[in-house]
Amino acid sequence: MKVTVVGAGAVGATCADNIARKELATELVLLDIKEGFAEGKAQDMMQTATLLGFDTRITGSTNDYSKTAGSDVVVITSGLPRKPGMTREELIGTNAGIVKGVCENILKYSPDAIIIVISNPMDTMTYLALTATGLPKNRIIGMGGTLDSARFKYQLSQHLGCSPADLNAVVIGGHGDTTMIPLIRFATWNSVPVTKFLSEEQQKQIIADTMVGGATLTKLIGTSAWYAPGAAGAALVESIVRDEKKLFTCCVSLNGEYGQKDIALGVPVTIGRSGWEKILDFGLNADEQALFNKSADAVRNMNDVLKTL
């Protein structure tokens, strides 16, 4: 099994580190456009192999996609963060060019690869990867909802005083502060609805804190988070390479599911060796469906920027 992570920044390097520690691949390639950056990160990680006890072979590459040849799974983290004064259109325009170029180069050497998109704005970049590559839709997966759901479980665990591992909870919709939808009605603590243990006020607070989870961390540490995003990407890689059929919220192509078409949006899907394998319909009530439609409208407006590029 061979896995490539494109982008050796904090998120990409953390994702690669998790993949290596879990020995999810025989060979792991870390690629970056900055001269020597990926090579240095790869060498640093390889020097932990004897300390951590893994046998994955990690190599770095400065923009040489031939070294990624034969990859089974490719994680794309490359792209620029939004800077002060930068418009939404400018961010999408810049990152669209990067993500499109990465996809083209990856598929030149790994035509059968499954692609996991982490680059932001993630829903739009996933949609771009779908439309630009023409790949079967099950082979393009946006990571966002996996991270948002992990943050939801964290917030629930803080209020319940329990282990996050005992919780099942999902966030659907767009990967953004105003577009994600934490489905607290479906959240359970070892099969018991969490709403039995939480007041209405607590539930509202948990939902609000989940939705600004990324912004909260950016305010605290001065940059975007990387541990949880990197781990979320690695969790999807694990479910693919081990054919685990685990249920995650992922940004995938919709064709009528949840009432939406011609869009990539976060919904519950099973992840296995062929990519995402099926979408689960949770049966949203009227209020939840209205929120989902509103989220889709916002993401579709972002996607419309692609038409101007």
Side-chain angles (χ1 to χ4, degrees):
M1 188 66 64
K2 182 174 181 178
V3 176
T4 289
V5 177
V6 182
V11 174
T14 302
C15 182
D17 186 46
N18 276 275
I19 291 168
R21 287 173 186 242
K22 291 188 173 185
E23 295 189 303
L24 301 180
T26 305
E27 183 179 359
L28 174 61
V29 178
L30 193 57
L31 185 143
D32 200 276
I33 196 170
K34 185 177 178 182
E35 184 70 37
F37 195 58
E39 290 88 340
K41 290 282 186 86
Q43 190 172 135
D44 191 15
M45 286 182 210
M46 280 302 298
Q47 290 168 6
T48 72
T50 185
L51 302 169
L52 300 174
F54 65 79
D55 293 312
T56 296
R57 185 173 71 258
I58 311 169
T59 57
S61 169
T62 301
N63 228 30
D64 182 0
Y65 282 85
S66 67
K67 293 185 178 178
T68 71
S71 294
D72 297 278
V73 185
V74 176
V75 183
I76 302 176
T77 73
S78 47
L80 299 178
R82 187 168 177 176
K83 299 176 181 178
M86 179 182 281
T87 66
R88 177 189 67 173
E89 289 78 11
E90 287 171 336
L91 176 66
I92 293 173
T94 300
N95 284 354
I98 293 171
V99 170
K100 186 176 180 180
V102 168
C103 287
E104 290 172 351
N105 282 305
I106 283 296
L107 293 174
K108 189 184 302 181
Y109 295 98
S110 302
D112 298 321
I114 294 169
I115 295 176
I116 297 172
V117 179
I118 297 182
S119 306
N120 278 318
M122 192 226 57
D123 302 291
T124 297
M125 294 302 104
T126 303
Y127 180 76
L128 172 66
L130 277 161
T131 55
T133 63
L135 288 178
K137 60 184 181 180
N138 65 293
R139 285 170 52 194
I140 303 287
I141 303 168
M143 177 280 293
T146 303
L147 169 61
D148 297 332
S149 297
R151 287 173 169 165
F152 187 22
K153 291 176 187 177
Y154 163 75
Q155 294 295 343
L156 285 166
S157 72
Q158 295 299 104
H159 283 260
L160 292 168
C162 71
S163 166
D166 283 342
L167 296 168
N168 278 306
V170 300
V171 176
I172 63 171
H175 179 55
D177 294 357
T178 60
T179 56
M180 69 177 75
I181 307 160
L183 291 176
I184 200 160
R185 181 169 69 94
F186 293 100
T188 60
W189 180 5
N190 272 351
S191 302
V192 181
V194 299
T195 51
K196 290 179 65 72
F197 309 105
L198 299 167
S199 67
E200 286 287 336
E201 184 178 341
Q202 283 179 304
Q203 292 176 46
K204 290 178 181 178
Q205 188 64 53
I206 289 166
I207 290 170
D209 290 344
T210 298
M211 292 178 72
V212 297
T216 299
L217 292 173
T218 299
K219 184 177 179 180
L220 288 169
I221 60 182
T223 186
S224 298
W226 60 90
Y227 291 119
L236 293 177
V237 172
E238 182 171 16
S239 196
I240 292 168
V241 302
R242 292 182 173 162
D243 197 24
E244 291 179 331
K245 317 289 188 187
K246 281 190 175 180
L247 181 67
F248 293 95
T249 301
C250 293
C251 179
V252 300
S253 175
L254 300 182
N255 186 29
E257 299 91 351
Y258 286 83
Q260 295 295 329
K261 290 183 178 181
D262 189 30
I263 195 170
L265 210 56
V267 293
V269 296
T270 54
I271 302 290
R273 187 62 191 90
S274 59
W276 69 266
E277 300 186 347
K278 63 180 176 180
I279 295 173
L280 275 72
D281 187 347
F282 274 24
L284 304 183
N285 62 31
D287 290 340
E288 292 159 348
Q289 186 63 54
L291 288 173
F292 191 81
N293 293 343
K294 183 179 178 181
S295 178
D297 289 342
V299 170
R300 197 169 274 113
N301 286 337
M302 294 277 279
N303 293 351
D304 285 344
V305 176
L306 296 173
K307 300 175 184 176
T308 67
L309 301 178

